[in-house]
Amino acid sequence: MDKPYYPHKPIGSLDALAKTLGVHPKLLLDFAEKANSSYTSFNIVSKSGKIRTVYEPKYELKKIQKRINDRIFEAVRFPLYLQGGISDDQSKRDYVENAKIHANSQCLIVLDIKNFYGNIKSDYVFDVFKYLFKFPDEVSMLLTKLVCLRGRVPQGACTSSYVANLVFHNSEYHVVSYFRQRGVVYSRLLDDVTLSTNDRPSAESTQEYIERVIALFKKYDLKPRSDKIKVYIKGSHAYTYDVTGLWVGHAKPKLRKSERRYIRQLVFECEKKYQASSCDPSYHKFWNYVSGQVAKMTRLGHHQSKELRRRLGLILPTIDALEEQKIAADVQKIAKLRRNHTYKSGDISRINKLYYKLGLLSRTNKGRSKALRSMLKSAHPNVPNKREYWL
C-alpha cells in the first residue's frame, strides 16, 4: 500500500456524523462553533531547552476528539513509511520501528518540518476529510472545526498526530515512489523525515533528494528547519549515524556505548538512593525513570539489560507506615462512593493510582494490601479504563 486508504463508505451527512460520534446533532454543531474557546494552553520545555506551547482540549471537546480518532482516523490503513502517532495492532509504529527501516544503510539524509502542527492550515485539514475520506463539504467542514484551533492544528490535541500523518495524503506517495525507483528508502515520523541509501549518492543526487522533500513541504505551505537538514555517511567519525536517537550502523538499531554506559550509571545511582530511603517519593520517581531506560535497552536487544533489570528488582520502591495510613484512608473514602456513581476522569485516575500504590504496599505488607484491594474492588467492580471512559 503506497498511500493512506479509508476502506469504508463515506459519512454522508451531519446526522450520520452525529450518530457515528454518539452526539446529538445540535450539540455537535455547538461544540464545533465554540471549539476555539475549548482549549487550555500551557508551556513545556523541550529537551533542547526550547519553550513550546501545548493546547489541551477541555473535557467535552476532548471526548469528541477521542471518538473521531477511534471511529474515523483509526479506520484508515496507513502505509509503512508513516511511523509515528498511529494506533496499529498489525504493525507497531514508533521511533524504534522507524530506525529499523534505515538500519545498515550507507547514507542518511534527515529533514525536520519547522513548527509542523502550528503551520498546518485548516484548508489542508478540510482537504483530508473531503478527498481522502470522501466526506461531503458540510461534514468535512464540521470535522475541521473540531480538530483545529483558530485555523491551525493544535499541538496537544489527540487528533493532531493523525492529521499530521494524513495532511500529505495525496502527494507524499508520489515522492515515496520516486525515491523507491532510485533505491532510496523514505520514512516519516510526524515532522521528522529520513531518507537512506545502500550506496553513497553524489552531491548532486543528494541535493536533488533534499529538494524533492522540501518541495513536498512547500506544497502545503510548510518549511524545513534549515539547521536540521543533515547528511550522514556511515563510518564517518565527524557525525553520529542515528535515526530518531538510535544508532543504525548495523542490521538492528542500537543505543550508543555512551548511552548504555549512562544507563548503567543510573542503575548504580539508584542502588545508592535505595540505601538512603526506598520510601521517599523522589526515589519512586527516579526508580521509574531508570526502569524506563532499562526497558529501552531490553526493547533494543542489549544483553546487559537482563542483569540491570535483575539489579533493579532488588531495590524496588516501598511504602512507609505514614503513606500506608494515607492509602488506607483514600481507599475507605473512595469506597463510600455509590456503585452507580458516574465516573469522571479524575475518579478513574485516582482509583488506578490507588491500585498502583497497593502494589507497592504488597512488597512490605501483603496482608494489608490484599484487604484494601478487596475493599476497593468490592466497592467498584466495574471501573472503566481510560479508553472505555473517553469512548
Side-chain angles (χ1 to χ4, degrees):
M1 183 173 57
D2 288 332
K3 62 187 295 188
Y5 168 63
Y6 181 64
H8 303 291
K9 291 182 179 179
I11 296 172
S13 68
L14 292 181
D15 284 345
L17 176 63
K19 186 175 181 180
T20 299
L21 299 179
V23 181
H24 190 280
K26 186 178 184 307
L27 278 177
L28 194 61
L29 288 167
D30 289 343
F31 288 141
E33 290 306 315
K34 66 180 183 181
N36 285 340
S37 59
S38 298
Y39 289 86
T40 301
S41 64
F42 56 93
N43 293 329
I44 60 172
V45 181
S46 66
K47 291 181 179 180
S48 62
K50 182 180 178 181
I51 297 176
R52 181 174 297 169
T53 302
V54 174
Y55 300 92
E56 173 74 15
K58 295 178 183 178
Y59 172 80
E60 293 88 353
L61 182 59
K62 186 173 184 178
K63 196 170 185 73
I64 290 175
Q65 289 182 349
K66 289 279 188 180
R67 291 180 180 181
I68 291 172
N69 279 355
D70 181 69
R71 303 174 190 186
I72 297 177
F73 284 142
E74 289 177 15
V76 174
R77 296 175 184 172
F78 292 89
L80 289 176
Y81 59 76
L82 296 175
Q83 281 294 314
I86 297 169
S87 177
D88 187 341
D89 294 333
Q90 303 299 317
S91 302
K92 192 174 181 65
R93 318 279 182 122
D94 65 4
Y95 74 106
V96 175
E97 297 303 316
N98 186 54
K100 282 182 182 179
I101 292 173
H102 304 283
N104 212 23
S105 56
Q106 296 296 315
C107 175
L108 295 173
I109 303 171
V110 179
L111 301 94
D112 185 279
I113 304 172
K114 186 176 182 180
N115 188 21
F116 188 26
Y117 292 101
N119 282 324
I120 300 175
K121 297 177 182 178
S122 59
D123 288 350
Y124 297 118
V125 179
F126 175 84
D127 287 350
V128 169
F129 291 119
K130 180 172 182 176
Y131 296 111
L132 171 63
F133 291 96
K134 311 296 184 184
F135 296 165
D137 285 5
E138 61 175 1
V139 173
S140 299
M141 181 56 70
L142 188 67
L143 284 167
T144 299
K145 289 180 178 179
L146 290 170
V147 303
C148 288
L149 171 61
R150 295 190 289 274
R152 307 280 173 148
V153 174
Q155 183 162 358
C158 59
T159 47
S160 294
S161 62
Y162 281 104
V163 173
N165 274 305
L166 294 173
V167 69
F168 301 144
H169 73 96
N170 209 29
S171 302
E172 192 168 26
Y173 74 102
H174 290 301
V175 178
V176 174
S177 178
Y178 167 85
F179 285 132
R180 189 175 295 151
Q181 291 171 15
R182 288 155 181 79
V184 179
V185 178
Y186 173 104
S187 74
R188 179 164 64 87
L189 196 151
L190 299 174
D191 58 351
D192 291 318
V193 172
T194 305
L195 311 176
S196 65
T197 64
N198 287 326
D199 57 9
R200 298 187 179 183
S202 65
E204 292 77 11
S205 294
T206 300
Q207 186 60 34
E208 181 183 352
Y209 299 158
I210 292 172
E211 288 175 358
R212 284 271 174 175
V213 177
I214 291 176
L216 173 66
F217 299 167
K218 288 183 176 179
K219 186 174 181 179
Y220 296 85
D221 299 324
L222 298 167
K223 298 178 181 179
R225 284 184 57 180
S226 56
D227 60 323
K228 287 292 188 79
I229 300 176
K230 305 290 184 182
V231 179
Y232 303 124
I233 302 298
K234 183 178 178 180
S236 170
H237 297 292
Y239 305 101
T240 59
Y241 199 71
D242 294 354
V243 173
T244 47
L246 300 176
W247 185 68
V248 292
H250 286 162
K252 295 181 180 180
K254 295 289 183 182
L255 295 175
R256 288 193 165 272
K257 287 182 180 179
S258 59
E259 189 165 359
R260 299 199 300 271
R261 191 181 307 117
Y262 168 69
I263 295 173
R264 291 196 298 270
Q265 180 63 28
L266 285 176
V267 174
F268 176 71
E269 291 294 329
C270 209
E271 289 169 331
K272 291 201 303 182
K273 290 179 181 292
Y274 175 82
Q275 296 299 324
S277 174
S278 63
C279 302
D280 193 295
S282 65
Y283 176 70
H284 287 215
K285 185 176 181 180
F286 185 67
W287 188 93
N288 287 335
Y289 170 72
V290 177
S291 179
Q293 296 300 305
V294 173
K296 182 163 63 174
M297 289 184 71
T298 302
R299 168 87 189 276
L300 292 166
H302 291 289
H303 68 275
Q304 306 102 315
S305 63
K306 188 174 182 179
E307 171 60 15
L308 295 177
R309 178 58 63 190
R310 184 193 69 80
R311 287 166 60 183
L312 284 179
L314 299 174
I315 55 171
L316 296 170
T318 58
I319 295 292
D320 61 16
L322 180 60
E323 183 63 20
E324 181 181 336
Q325 292 176 8
K326 291 180 180 178
I327 293 171
D330 276 348
V331 170
Q332 291 166 5
K333 188 181 295 184
I334 205 163
K336 292 178 181 178
L337 293 174
R338 299 186 308 275
R339 279 194 179 213
N340 62 351
H341 172 73
T342 301
Y343 294 103
K344 297 179 180 179
S345 178
D347 296 327
I348 297 171
S349 296
R350 186 178 172 191
I351 292 172
N352 286 338
K353 191 173 183 180
L354 277 174
Y355 276 122
Y356 169 73
K357 288 185 174 181
L358 289 170
L360 297 180
L361 179 59
S362 69
R363 296 168 183 169
T364 53
N365 193 336
K366 287 186 178 181
R368 180 68 161 155
S369 173
K370 185 177 180 180
L372 291 171
R373 183 183 292 272
S374 178
M375 180 188 297
L376 189 59
K377 191 169 183 64
S378 176
H380 301 284
N382 299 310
V383 179
N385 60 36
K386 281 285 188 180
R387 181 177 178 85
E388 291 169 340
Y389 169 76
W390 284 112
L391 299 180

